[in-house]
Structures are given as C-alpha cells and as structure tokens.
Amino acid sequence: MARVYVSDIVNAPADKVWALARDYNGHGEWHPRIAESSIEDDLSADQVGCVRNFTLSDGGHLRERLLSFSDLDRAFTYTILVSPMPITDYVATFRCTPVTERDATFVEWWATFEVDEKDEADIRHAVGRETFAAGIRALADRLE
C-alpha cells in the first residue's frame, strides 16, 4: 500500500483556514486543479456519505465520497469512487491544527492507496505535489 503525506504551515488562524477548507464542495474556489464541482443528490457538503463529482482543469473526472467530517477536529476523510488514475482503495484525510504560538495553522493532507509498482512514482507525485502540496499552497495564498 502506498502512502502520501504532505504538511505545511499556513500563516492564518486555524478557524479561518478551516472555514475555507471545510466546504467539501468548495475546493473549486481555491484549488488550482479543480475546474468545476458539485455534490450529487442535493446533499449538504458536510453530510457524511455525500459524493462530490468534479472535473480537473486537465479534463479528468473524479467522484469522491465523504467518509467522516468533524468541525471539532477540523478534519474530513474521503475515498475515491471514480478516478482517471490507476489506483484502488484510496482514502485521504485533510486536517487543520492550530499553531498556538503564531496564530497560524498546521495543515496536513495524506492518503493511502493501492497502485501498481510501475505507476507508483507518478501517482505519488500527482497526489502529493500536484494535489496536496498545490492545494495547501493555494489555501495559504488565498488567506495570507
């Protein structure tokens, strides 16, 4: 099983970072890879079980189901249902934790998934650098 983990500090209070990131369907407003997104079946974007259906800026299509959501922990976990990537059993978590000495936020985003060894390096880069790291940087740029 492959694991990708990315973390960084965003120089904004955790409540402010979470207020932007908590919208499970709002990543199209701040993530550079997302072209458009919608929640299926008119469910709330913070309802466990809802499915976001979105298109990447390169035309790729994904569907992801929200598995857990916590305002208290400032975290959510989701799984990929449909992806252009050759992966299975993908589960990811996004979390914001206050950095109390600077009124900043420690943002973590990680995933585990199955991938063929021949594709692993490319997929780890796409998930880690192009998705997680780029998303955290985009949040920081939007809020700092």
Side-chain angles (χ1 to χ4, degrees), residues 18 21-25 44-50 66-78 94:
W18 179 244
R22 76 176 298 281
D23 182 355
Y24 187 61
N25 191 44
S44 170
D46 61 0
Q47 182 176 339
V48 171
C50 75
L66 186 62
L67 298 176
S68 69
F69 183 92
S70 174
D71 280 323
L72 180 64
D73 296 325
R74 296 182 192 90
F76 58 81
T77 299
Y78 60 95
F94 177 93

Side-chain angles (χ1 to χ4, degrees), residues 60-119:
H61 172 249
L62 288 95
R63 291 177 69 238
E64 298 174 338
R65 180 179 312 279
L66 186 62
L67 298 176
S68 69
F69 183 92
S70 174
D71 280 323
L72 180 64
D73 296 325
R74 296 182 192 90
F76 58 81
T77 299
Y78 60 95
T79 187
I80 290 179
L81 303 173
V82 173
S83 173
M85 297 181 291
I87 59 173
T88 60
D89 302 321
Y90 181 102
V91 176
T93 299
F94 177 93
R95 179 171 58 198
C96 299
T97 304
V99 178
T100 59
E101 297 303 306
R102 295 192 306 155
D103 201 23
T105 305
F106 180 63
V107 178
E108 300 173 276
W109 205 343
W110 68 89
T112 58
F113 50 89
E114 295 292 341
V115 61
D116 191 287
E117 188 176 323
K118 69 179 176 53
D119 298 316

